[in-house]
Amino acid sequence: MLLDYEMLRLVCWGVLGLFVMGFVLSSGIEIGVSMLLPFLNASEPQRAGLVARLAPTSAGNQVWLLATIGVLFAGWPTVYAATFASFQPLVLLTVLSLFVRPSGLYFRSSVTREDWLKKWDKALFISGLLPAALLGVMVGNLLKGVPFHLASDMHIAFLGSFSGLFSPFAALVGATCVALLAVHGAIYLQTHTQDELYQRSKALTMSSGLAFLVLFALAGGWITHLEGYHVSTDIMPNGVSNPLTKFVKRGDGLWLDNYEHEPALWALPTLAFVCGIAALVLSRLDKAYWALLASAVTVVMVILTVGVSMFPFLAPSNISLNSSLTIWDASASQTTLSALLCLSGVMLPVMAIATRGLYKMLP
């Protein structure tokens, strides 16, 4: 049975979320391990072994990134244009650092000179820390609102500044993202190391995990007082895409609206916190595999928490409220969404199975 326009928009929004989860879960391991390399105090053979283990996964993880961007571009082209125009410097730095990492993983061991190895170790550290922090900063800006204006001809003007993207709240979300991916990478290391490296990975799991729990709680508390957004006119889920036909209001705590209407949604941030604690407990009990599963659930719950908090907004504007973009009024046509859903229905399971199989085959 063919889906109507409203259901297509909703399902494709869910598909976009699944691609985001796939990217964060797969690349999050690489990012986390890369960030933690300088803190492992590993010998050169141990460090080379860890790098060699991650190298085969790097190309596949970039596919998740490209697929996620492709889904956003195909499903919500106006959102793609507005966010990439507004976050252009952040996106450029993130993409460059993400694509530096595969080079470091493959070419680090091609020369055994000490200065060469140290430079690539620094490059790997930066290529882990930078995207984790900047992706968090972008999420923080989406929650806070992005300073763009949408003209009547759909021309997008970014009215902010580069420095303005680094507000205290955005920096807090960036730090939370760094801590989340660090604990994800540390637990992965715990599942693939022994003896001294295992103990160091275990210690890093505890420190980064505690940092995540504290930062996540602080960000959640801040959101209760952060100005959120709400569509104050009738929403037309089956209507023609035109972001300028609605009125949007802004006020403190409005990001909690969905939780007030559907109290069951509180399970998402609660599970993120509970599973984060469970990951630390399981790591402490030397049940690294189960700790990694708990960490993965934590990542998923954090992404879902952000998604349902903002729903139906994808890119709210804090300078031109009515220019804010939602899943209902900024989507592609019904035909395009139908094609996107069919294509994603094939790509998503294939990519998930391939990624899982690749990680499983690694020694």
Side-chain angles (χ1 to χ4, degrees):
M1 183 175 64
L2 294 177
L3 299 177
D4 62 17
Y5 205 4
E6 176 184 0
M7 188 56 65
L8 264 176
R9 284 165 162 163
L10 188 60
V11 172
C12 286
W13 174 75
V15 168
L16 176 62
L18 289 175
F19 275 101
V20 172
M21 292 174 199
F23 165 66
V24 177
L25 286 172
S26 58
S27 288
I29 291 174
E30 260 191 84
I31 290 172
V33 173
S34 298
M35 278 193 292
L36 296 175
L37 279 176
F39 306 102
L40 287 172
N41 295 323
S43 64
E44 175 50 35
Q46 291 172 327
R47 199 179 295 259
L50 292 174
V51 169
R53 182 187 301 279
L54 290 177
T57 68
S58 57
N61 291 339
Q62 307 308 320
V63 173
W64 280 105
L65 172 64
L66 296 174
T68 302
I69 294 172
V71 170
L72 179 64
F73 173 75
W76 290 272
T78 310
V79 177
Y80 168 88
T83 52
F84 274 63
S86 302
F87 298 149
Q88 189 175 26
L90 301 183
V91 171
L92 181 61
L93 287 172
T94 301
V95 171
L96 284 176
S97 58
L98 284 172
F99 280 92
V100 162
R101 192 170 60 255
S103 300
L105 294 173
Y106 277 106
F107 298 125
R108 178 188 180 277
S109 301
S110 60
V111 178
T112 56
R113 284 204 324 267
E114 186 176 354
D115 59 334
W116 171 271
L117 296 175
K118 286 183 177 180
K119 287 178 181 178
W120 275 117
D121 286 344
K122 290 179 181 178
L124 286 172
F125 170 71
I126 293 172
S127 71
L129 178 64
L130 200 59
L134 294 182
L135 287 171
V137 167
M138 284 186 265
V139 173
N141 275 280
L142 288 175
L143 286 165
K144 192 172 180 294
V146 185
F148 70 89
H149 172 70
L150 200 61
S152 57
D153 61 354
M154 296 296 124
H155 175 75
I156 299 166
F158 176 63
L159 303 176
S161 64
F162 178 69
S163 60
L165 296 174
F166 294 91
S167 65
F169 177 74
L172 174 60
V173 178
T176 305
C177 186
V178 169
L180 175 61
L181 297 184
V183 69
H184 196 50
I187 295 176
Y188 176 81
L189 283 172
Q190 203 176 334
T191 63
H192 289 80
T193 53
Q194 296 175 342
D195 302 326
E196 290 184 11
L197 274 186
Y198 178 87
Q199 295 301 326
R200 290 170 193 155
S201 301
K202 189 175 176 179
L204 287 170
T205 296
M206 189 59 60
S207 57
S208 56
L210 290 174
F212 163 72
L213 292 173
V214 171
L215 293 170
F216 185 66
L218 288 174
W222 196 324
I223 284 177
T224 62
H225 302 288
L226 186 72
E227 286 189 325
Y229 299 81
H230 179 78
V231 179
S232 57
T233 52
D234 290 337
I235 297 175
M236 303 294 290
N238 274 310
V240 176
S241 289
N242 185 351
L244 299 178
T245 59
K246 67 181 183 303
F247 288 96
V248 175
K249 68 177 181 179
R250 180 173 57 188
D252 291 348
L254 283 181
W255 283 142
L256 302 181
D257 263 10
N258 291 332
Y259 297 95
E260 292 177 3
H261 289 96
E262 295 290 342
L265 293 176
W266 282 108
L268 299 176
T270 302
L271 279 172
F273 205 81
V274 170
C275 290
I277 295 174
L280 298 189
V281 172
L282 291 166
S283 168
R284 187 68 179 247
L285 295 174
D286 296 319
K287 299 183 183 297
Y289 175 77
W290 293 104
L292 186 60
L293 290 182
S295 173
V297 175
T298 303
V299 170
V300 169
M301 291 301 120
V302 169
I303 294 170
L304 287 175
T305 297
V306 174
V308 301
S309 297
M310 292 185 61
F311 184 85
F313 290 93
L314 288 173
S317 171
N318 62 6
I319 205 166
S320 176
L321 298 182
N322 297 337
S323 296
S324 298
L325 305 174
T326 73
I327 70 168
W328 309 122
D329 59 22
S331 73
S333 67
Q334 189 169 358
T335 302
T336 301
L337 291 181
S338 297
L340 175 62
L341 184 58
C342 292
L343 184 60
S344 299
V346 176
M347 286 182 58
L348 194 57
V350 169
M351 290 173 62
I353 293 170
T355 302
R356 171 60 181 155
L358 183 58
Y359 273 101
K360 195 172 182 179
M361 285 191 302
L362 293 176

